[in-house]
Amino acid sequence: MTEQDDVDVIVEQWRRERPGMRPEPMAVFGRIYRLSRLVGDAQEKVYAGWGISRGEFDVLAALRRSGEPYALAPKALAAGLMLTSGGMTGRLDRLERGGLIRRTPDPADRRGLRITLTGEGRRVVEESVDAGLAVQRRILDALPVQDRERLGELLRALLAAAETGA
């Protein structure tokens, strides 16, 4: 068992100030939020070594995961990353200026575009994904393997409940 953390302090303060309140969810979601922020910040620092932000990494990774020819329509890319078209445009502009993606006409739709990973973009995402995973692995290594697997299952169930509005 680990020591008491800042989230425990917050929960105890609520218990003291509002004895009828049941603040246990704060303990779970407060830690999820803090963990996400800390890991995200660590990954942001790692990706900076390749001259990209975490959001730009997400675009490169989505293109790489799509398989050859590593190309997607901007709308599909934005939908997969849950971004507005405006948010996507800024990322694409920066990645294109950096030579990591290319915008080309969509051969299947004269009015459309395809966003394609360049050779340099593929190199950057291949290297940076490994570095980002190393950050995550280093943190997860604090738990035994069976606990990691169970945590993954529990988080999947919580995510499903949140997505369905349960």
Side-chain angles (χ1 to χ4, degrees), residues 8 13 20 23 34 44 64 66 73 95 97 112 116-117 134 153:
D8 289 318
Q13 288 170 336
R34 287 175 183 225
E44 188 78 44
R64 176 60 182 90
S66 73
L95 290 168
R97 279 193 305 270
T116 305
L117 198 57
E153 293 166 8

Side-chain angles (χ1 to χ4, degrees), residues 11-153:
V11 169
E12 287 306 315
Q13 288 170 336
W14 278 115
R15 282 191 178 121
R16 182 190 70 231
E17 295 300 316
R18 300 260 320 267
M21 179 190 275
R22 295 177 40 216
E24 295 80 14
M26 286 180 190
V28 172
F29 293 103
R31 287 189 181 97
I32 289 171
Y33 172 77
R34 287 175 183 225
L35 181 61
S36 177
R37 192 183 72 222
L38 289 168
V39 174
D41 290 350
Q43 287 181 290
E44 188 78 44
K45 287 178 187 170
V46 166
Y47 298 145
W50 282 268
I52 58 174
S53 69
R54 192 166 150 209
E56 292 162 354
F57 168 83
D58 290 343
V59 171
L60 297 175
L63 290 167
R64 176 60 182 90
R65 291 190 316 266
S66 73
E68 287 203 51
Y70 312 118
L72 292 169
K75 280 189 179 184
L77 200 48
L81 297 175
M82 296 178 281
L83 288 172
T84 64
S85 60
M88 179 57 68
T89 299
R91 290 182 189 184
L92 295 178
D93 288 346
R94 287 187 298 277
L95 290 168
E96 188 174 40
R97 279 193 305 270
L100 303 178
I101 61 139
R102 179 173 46 251
R103 289 177 170 116
T104 57
D106 187 337
D109 178 1
R110 292 184 324 167
R111 297 171 296 160
L113 287 176
R114 301 282 285 176
I115 308 302
T116 305
L117 198 57
T118 64
E120 178 64 5
R122 185 171 175 192
R123 181 193 68 76
V124 166
V125 73
E126 294 284 343
E127 293 175 7
S128 62
V129 72
D130 291 334
L133 279 170
V135 168
Q136 294 171 344
R137 219 175 262 111
R138 190 171 52 250
I139 294 165
L140 274 177
D141 282 348
L143 297 176
V145 173
Q146 64 273 19
D147 288 349
R148 289 180 232 164
E149 292 168 359
R150 182 68 181 136
L151 178 61
E153 293 166 8

